[in-house]
Amino acid sequence: MLKASMFAVLPLFVSGAALATDLSAMEPERVVEVRQEAFKALKSSAGELRLYVLGKKDWQQQEVDSLTGQMQRASEEAFAAFLPGTLVYPTEATAAVEQEPERFKQAQANFQKQLSHLQQVVSSGDQQAAEQALGQLNRSCKSCHNGFKQP
């Protein structure tokens, strides 16, 4: 389920190219807000998925597949919003995002790889493997935060 806050930026999420075009016309502060909303949506979907993976909610295949799809879209939207000149308040990103772009792209690629693996495992219905895959995804998040997010 999409959170209400996502509806404010949902029209931007047509495609990566459309998103980048729309974002480039925005004030940097607004781009940061869009990026932060996408990360909040990602975190919310991951938290909801965690409840299924840990067995705190009965596994519903359609719902868990939907959640991983939401996570994919939110991550693409968040990463697309790291445009030059958007390391302004209220960002939590560090200067390393622009100073070390290849390392930042590698961190994004690692996240996307882990998310893709999670999607495959979730689609198989293997809850135990999904728990491991979600843990790997969380580690990729923390790794990126350690290098590119203010404490």
Side-chain angles (χ1 to χ4, degrees):
M1 181 171 95
L2 287 173
K3 298 292 181 194
S5 61
M6 283 300 296
F7 291 117
V9 290
L10 194 59
L12 298 173
F13 301 161
V14 176
S15 72
L19 179 66
T21 301
D22 292 336
L23 289 174
S24 66
M26 292 180 183
E27 292 294 322
E29 296 81 3
R30 179 66 183 123
V31 175
V32 171
E33 291 171 358
V34 168
R35 182 169 67 221
Q36 289 175 339
E37 286 298 315
F39 277 125
K40 284 179 189 174
L42 174 61
K43 184 177 179 179
S44 176
S45 294
E48 186 73 13
L49 178 63
R50 185 174 184 273
L51 296 175
Y52 288 102
V53 167
L54 296 178
K56 295 183 180 196
K57 282 189 165 185
D58 290 335
W59 189 269
Q60 297 177 33
Q61 193 62 50
Q62 242 183 329
E63 181 64 18
V64 294
D65 286 339
S66 175
L67 288 167
T68 59
Q70 290 171 28
M71 291 167 66
Q72 180 66 42
R73 286 185 301 279
S75 68
E76 290 170 359
E77 294 147 6
F79 292 142
F82 279 100
L83 300 176
T86 61
L87 295 181
V88 298
Y89 180 81
T91 192
E92 296 176 13
T94 66
V97 168
E98 290 182 353
Q99 293 170 348
E100 302 177 58
E102 291 307 313
R103 190 167 73 93
F104 186 58
K105 286 178 187 174
Q106 182 59 43
Q108 289 178 26
N110 182 48
F111 175 86
Q112 293 296 345
K113 177 182 173 186
Q114 297 302 329
L115 180 55
S116 178
H117 175 66
L118 175 64
Q119 288 175 304
Q120 291 173 350
V121 171
V122 163
S123 290
S124 76
D126 185 340
Q127 252 178 289
Q128 187 174 7
E131 183 176 357
Q132 293 173 354
L134 186 58
Q136 291 171 333
L137 181 68
N138 280 337
R139 284 187 287 284
S140 75
C141 290
K142 289 178 183 178
S143 174
C144 191
H145 290 181
N146 289 339
F148 300 102
K149 184 178 179 190
Q150 296 174 24

